Amino acid sequence: MTDIATYNFAYLDEQTKRMIRRAILKGIAIPGYQVPFASREMPMPYGWGTGGVQVTASIIGPDDVLKVIDQGADDTTNAVSIRAFFKKVAKVAVTTETAKATIIQTRHRIPEHPLNAGQVLVFQVPIPEPLRFLEPRETETRKMHALEEYGLMHVKLYEDIARHGRIATTYAYPVKVEGRYVMDPSPTPKFDNPKMHRSPALQLFGAGREKRIYAVPPFTDVVSLDFEDHPFEVQTFDQPCALCAAENVYLDEVILDDHGGHMFVCSDTDHCEKRRADPSSPLSEGRAEGAGGGDLAASPATPSPALRAAPPHDGEGKEAR
Amino acid sequence: MTDEPLLRVSELSKFYGSRVGCEAISFDLWPGEVLAVVGESGSGKTTLLNCLSTRLLPSSGTASYRMRDGQWRELYRMSEAERRFLMRTDWGFVHQNPADGLRMTVSAGANVGERLMAVGDRHYGRIRATAVDWLSRVEIDEDRIDDEPRAFSGGMRQRLQIARNLVTGPRLVFMDEPTGGLDVSVQARLLDLLRGLVTDLGLAAIVVTHDLAVARLLSQRMMVMKDGRVVESGLTDRVLDDPRAPYTQLLVSSILQV
């Protein structure tokens, strides 16, 4: 009690939470529109999820169950720290199970387990402006959003096809929300874009450094931009997950040693662990054969956090264009 | 030519504080006509061009434009969205410095295709075919289509800028010193190209230039400006061969003879 008494519930003061909730409500009312808000200093550096944390802090209540993922994993630095933060300042229950969580704060992934009505997905967003690298002037991009001038977004996709023969954008793939605003879905892989379309869960996006909040209400159309003769497609993987043999999920490449050993495993750790723990799943046996070689048998069942994801940092390796 | 003008300008003035940008400019522009605006630097040519293209709002006066459907619209009463739409479909603007009119970090093909995508074309193959066609019309090799304009020479950049503007089949093109900063042989080719395109497409154009030779080659009609006012206007050949205003006489006699 002694240390919690020094904090307001969920860290932020009530006026700030009120201000952020107003921004969230406005964002929900205008799907995909970037609402400016007075982003606060948080006890973490920009680029580590200050926007997402402020959104979560403003919507969380004592009865909520929080899950935090980073690149799909519950056990990476960013996810562990943010979970610990809310455990401390809001005393909420935390979980790693997607289905049990009421609020899921995420960096760069949408969980594989389908989300339900009543759940809230909070995204950490480094750069909310999808037009940023095409038009550096914020005054101009706002005007372009206002006037629905989105030809430029297709110029980027055109460039991709001209250079690579296909749309090579694999993450932060621009989407059009409810037929109006073009939105950056945060640097999630484009694999997750279809999950945003008409999702029953509320999706909130917070960009702390850029001071923007935007939202996709439940059951909203989210359509990935494309060309008629180069339609949008998601990534596919040649092999199933090396641990749980899941197919049609997003996989991370994990380096195992210094000799070129590597394996592809589910990026969603909760999904992977669930599948392996489920005794009724026929896949749990198949795994032993699938994992095969001595290298893999010697390696830990779950790769260590250090291997799973690069530490979060500013800019998130956006193409410098 | 039809019996109705394309653009009607009446008593257009632009003041920068108490300083005069341009004052009391009136003229009509007919479809397919090229009007040259000449004068020394600081005479208000570019201010006038920027006002007409709605990049600047004038202090007073009106300008009406006949839309494709035959409706007359007053330019300064249109909403910004309508003006910007007009700007990227029915109009073109060729800047003196191509870097101002091009996107220097995207390929030539995308530069040409941008307007098409802006008006809703979503078919990559079609956009690219149009870009190839336009590049050949402005004499840029097809194999440069994926190069950035940064890798182009000054003359090529200017031709690319012209292609980018003409791809949507505009009816009116504004040009601000289109041959400025180019050496004479490149200038000659560009002028030749422009003249061909203007005639083929039946474009109306307003060309601002301080180069009387450019005006003579491109335009049918000409306005001479000094200190923000029009001092003389008329058919280009008449103005240049028989200048009446003292300032025009000075201007014409200032041309260096080689």
Side-chain angles (χ1 to χ4, degrees), chain A residues 189-204:
Chain A
K190 65 178 175 183
F191 182 88
D192 287 338
N193 277 15
K195 293 181 195 164
M196 305 182 102
H197 180 60
R198 302 199 69 76
S199 165
L202 170 63
Q203 301 173 76
L204 302 176

Side-chain angles (χ1 to χ4, degrees), chain A residues 92-143:
Chain A
V92 291
V94 295
T95 181
T96 58
E97 282 182 53
T98 304
K100 285 189 184 161
T102 55
I103 298 173
I104 303 168
Q105 181 169 334
T106 175
R107 171 178 176 269
H108 299 195
R109 272 314 306 280
I110 295 174
E112 304 290 356
H113 190 279
L115 299 175
N116 299 317
Q119 286 184 308
V120 184
L121 194 57
V122 178
F123 293 79
Q124 303 169 197
V125 182
I127 297 163
E129 179 51 72
L131 301 162
R132 173 68 50 85
F133 293 102
L134 302 156
E135 174 53 69
R137 290 167 296 175
E138 181 80 14
T139 47
E140 183 66 16
T141 54
R142 285 215 211 175
K143 202 168 268 179

Side-chain angles (χ1 to χ4, degrees), chain B residues 82-140:
Chain B
E82 288 175 307
R83 283 203 302 260
R84 283 170 74 117
F85 184 74
L86 197 63
M87 199 69 210
R88 59 172 194 258
T89 53
D90 220 16
W91 289 3
F93 196 107
V94 178
H95 294 261
Q96 174 172 11
N97 180 2
D100 295 339
L102 292 172
R103 282 192 198 279
M104 299 302 279
T105 52
V106 305
S107 69
N111 262 294
V112 177
E114 181 179 344
R115 275 177 163 233
L116 296 173
M117 294 181 247
V119 295
D121 199 330
R122 295 287 178 264
H123 193 282
Y124 175 81
R126 216 158 45 213
I127 292 166
R128 197 165 171 87
T130 313
V132 168
D133 177 44
W134 268 101
L135 288 182
S136 72
R137 288 170 89 162
V138 296
E139 297 163 20
I140 295 175

